[in-house]
Amino acid sequence: MTASSSATRRATILDVARAASVSRQTVSNVVNAPERVAPATLARVQAEIRRLGFRPSRAAQTLKQERAGAWGLELDSSGFGRLGAILDTFLVELTAGASARGSHVVPFTASDPAAPLAAYDRLVASRVVDGFVLTDTRRGDPRPAWLEEHEIPYAAFGRVWDDPSITAWVDVDGAAGVEAAVHHLAAQGYERIGYLGWPEGSPVGDDRRSGWVRATTRLGVHNPHWQATSVQALEQASRAAARLLDDLGRGAALVCASDALALGAWRVLLERGLRPGADVGLVCFDDTDIAQALDLSSLHQPLDRVADRVLHVLGARSASRDPAGGLLLPPELVVRSSSKPAGDRTTPKEK
Amino acid sequence: MTASSSATRRATILDVARAASVSRQTVSNVVNAPERVAPATLARVQAEIRRLGFRPSRAAQTLKQERAGAWGLELDSSGFGRLGAILDTFLVELTAGASARGSHVVPFTASDPAAPLAAYDRLVASRVVDGFVLTDTRRGDPRPAWLEEHEIPYAAFGRVWDDPSITAWVDVDGAAGVEAAVHHLAAQGYERIGYLGWPEGSPVGDDRRSGWVRATTRLGVHNPHWQATSVQALEQASRAAARLLDDLGRGAALVCASDALALGAWRVLLERGLRPGADVGLVCFDDTDIAQALDLSSLHQPLDRVADRVLHVLGARSASRDPAGGLLLPPELVVRSSSKPAGDRTTPKEK
């Protein structure tokens, strides 16, 4: 069992399901429990199975007989040598949730960047795990298609960006989160609400930014100039925040795509003698140590619910059931002093 | 197999070794390979085995026959719902190292605080793991003695504070790290070097502080008033740093026991219009995201080497060999702008 290129890939259960206009579950029944399938459907699916040359993979068959009771989780696919605040918490929640279901999580690192699927292949072949939890999903990610092809159960924390027909994922609704932040800031009396985000092109960043556009447009306070972008580094974030705050002026507010960007904005406020909240509103994303340390309002990802849903999808997948489609969970806004204007705040009108 | 109280605990291999004045390895040889042991020693150890009623545990015997090829790692024993920067990186290093040795790490959470050993018991009994990696070792930690008693292989990242005869650990030498930081700051020309630490009573905190006392004393610049303590929260850390900086004055330097404490000091400098490095030197511990974001010099824990050593000890323990004693690894000082005085810095002499 090795990773196939898309040119030579075998027909998958999903291909058969699409061709026969039935669910994945129905194809699975045709293979494993044909007595449950209506004769006309059975005939149609069997015809597509023959036409497409589909055969259930050996690995998938073996797994049904002998379960490891464990799910693999690749660590550090981005190469930073650590998980970071979100995946750290997600791992703890996933571990606790798996334990409550009588299973385990087996973290692993994919040692060979040239063959990113080799480690997945090896772990299933040696029956260390029954399937996988994916994180760091991205455009051009080879993993979902490969796992579908080999009928290995999996569920992703993060949308499968390349293929809308794949629904084995749960994600946090970044756009909805930023929308909620903008509405919160508007309700607190901030009239000019800017956005400090990442450079265009990252699915997560573009998603978050779209929430700012949507909410400010709906409120009739959208100004396309009130936004800036920066990478995560403090110097760049500080410079971008300084320019943006010059445009917005006192009494304004900023939504930041991350805690690192918010740290840049916070530093600029301190250097200018301005008080976060009282003088300039600040809301950031991810509710990390930095947000908590600086008392910044932040969008908190519901990672307990994400982990629970990921394990639910895995359970359904490994029983050859299709869970409901991909699920977007809204983050929760944690309000701290950085978006609570003090009583003596200069109102935007006065400026 | 359940956790025994110390009142009813069975004799362990360590008890026999102590009573017979031989190594753990020798006792193991008497049980498993008596032909390797000199006749006089064999007789002495066998006498102690009988006298103490020692018998190798069933779990330990079973493990020798059927290995799971996995080590358990308890997550979040402190209850914060996340690992934090150090354990996050340690987990990634441990996972990569285990994989290179053909084994795996299985994280788990101990769900019942009233029975902290139940999860350990269950994982070994069900053969999910062969042994354990301990983190968050602390005074009064029941785990090392319990694992010794049941002859379950383990290795700790963190000293076994209660029992100096247990050597299955590796730790980072906090005192040596702070000493190195003080010497670095003195070499950079800072003459008054203060210490911002945690309240007394935590083994890790007291260890780090002792390095400041030792180094400043050796350099002849020790002043017992140039220290302050704070919990990790920013407000408290800022207040403690402000008082300490008032005492020390411009041109001084601070070593901080953590990044959160350093963040408090950094904030005070910004509010006073002082430049970290150029006006006041700052060095912190742990080299987290915060240290990197703020460009703070920091003591970096060599977690790759810690993980490697932990796996080495585990390998030795599960082969009934005694590895060499507990190992202290020095952290590496990463120098950034917060401890590089600018050319125009007011020298301490002028003040």
Side-chain angles (χ1 to χ4, degrees), chain B residues 216-289:
Chain B
T216 51
T217 303
R218 183 167 312 158
L219 290 168
V221 297
H222 184 69
N223 181 330
H225 299 296
W226 290 345
Q227 59 180 315
T229 62
S230 164
V231 295
Q232 292 279 85
L234 186 69
E235 286 306 322
Q236 282 95 319
S238 303
R239 279 198 296 272
R243 282 194 307 269
L244 193 48
L245 290 166
D246 287 342
D247 283 354
L248 285 161
R250 194 159 167 150
L254 274 192
V255 182
C256 303
S258 73
D259 60 344
L261 297 178
L263 180 61
W266 187 81
R267 177 194 183 185
V268 171
L269 298 188
L270 246 66
E271 286 173 343
R272 296 180 176 186
L274 297 171
R275 293 157 300 167
D279 296 315
V280 174
L282 273 187
V283 178
C284 65
F285 220 107
D286 286 350
D287 198 21
T288 63
D289 286 1

Side-chain angles (χ1 to χ4, degrees), chain A residues 75 81-84 88-89 91-92 95-96 104-109 123 128 234 263 266-267 270 289-290 293-294, chain B residues 75-76 81-84 88-89 91-92 95-96 104-109 123 128 234 263 266-267 270 289-290 293-294:
Chain A
L75 303 186
R82 59 196 165 79
L83 299 172
D88 172 334
T89 306
L91 173 70
V92 174
T95 297
H104 302 281
V105 176
V106 176
F108 66 100
T109 50
L123 282 168
V128 172
L234 185 70
L263 180 62
W266 186 81
R267 177 193 184 186
L270 246 66
D289 286 0
I290 292 177
L294 304 183
Chain B
L75 303 186
D76 190 34
R82 60 198 164 75
L83 300 171
D88 172 335
T89 306
L91 172 69
V92 173
T95 298
H104 301 281
V105 176
V106 176
F108 66 99
T109 50
L123 282 167
V128 172
L234 186 69
L263 180 61
W266 187 81
R267 177 194 183 185
L270 246 66
D289 286 1
I290 291 178
L294 303 183

Side-chain angles (χ1 to χ4, degrees), chain B residues 73 84 91 96 99 125 127 188 218-219 221 264 297 308 351:
Chain B
L73 175 73
L91 172 69
S99 171
R127 293 185 205 163
Q188 295 288 89
R218 183 167 312 158
L219 290 168
V221 297
S297 297
D308 189 69
K351 178 138 182 167

